[in-house]
Amino acid sequence: MLNFGVVGPGNLAESLIPALQTKGKLLQIFSRDPLRAKIVAEKFYVPMHGTDYSEISPFIDVLF
């Protein structure tokens, strides 16, 4: 099972996230807008979100 992260939770990401969740676990969402990152993370039950790319989880296998 792969662990995924998403940078830029726009329309494309919101279309991609359900497919990612069938193939693995989505661990983090990043956005320049902290509120947008939080909203999308809550919508898709993603445990971590933020704006600081230096905080990317070492457990992420693929970052979109």
Side-chain angles (χ1 to χ4, degrees), residues 41-61:
E42 289 176 353
K43 178 178 179 179
F44 292 102
Y45 305 102
V46 178
M48 296 181 282
H49 60 84
T51 60
D52 187 353
Y53 302 125
S54 70
E55 296 177 355
I56 293 173
S57 170
F59 299 106
I60 290 180
D61 300 307

Side-chain angles (χ1 to χ4, degrees), residues 10-57:
N11 291 333
L12 179 61
E14 286 203 45
S15 298
L16 181 64
I17 288 171
L20 292 176
Q21 290 178 318
T22 66
K23 301 296 180 189
K25 185 170 183 176
L26 184 55
L27 295 181
Q28 279 182 304
I29 293 182
F30 291 96
S31 176
R32 290 181 294 180
D33 178 355
L35 181 59
R36 177 75 177 145
K38 180 181 181 195
I39 289 169
V40 175
E42 289 176 353
K43 178 178 179 179
F44 292 102
Y45 305 102
V46 178
M48 296 181 282
H49 60 84
T51 60
D52 187 353
Y53 302 125
S54 70
E55 296 177 355
I56 293 173
S57 170

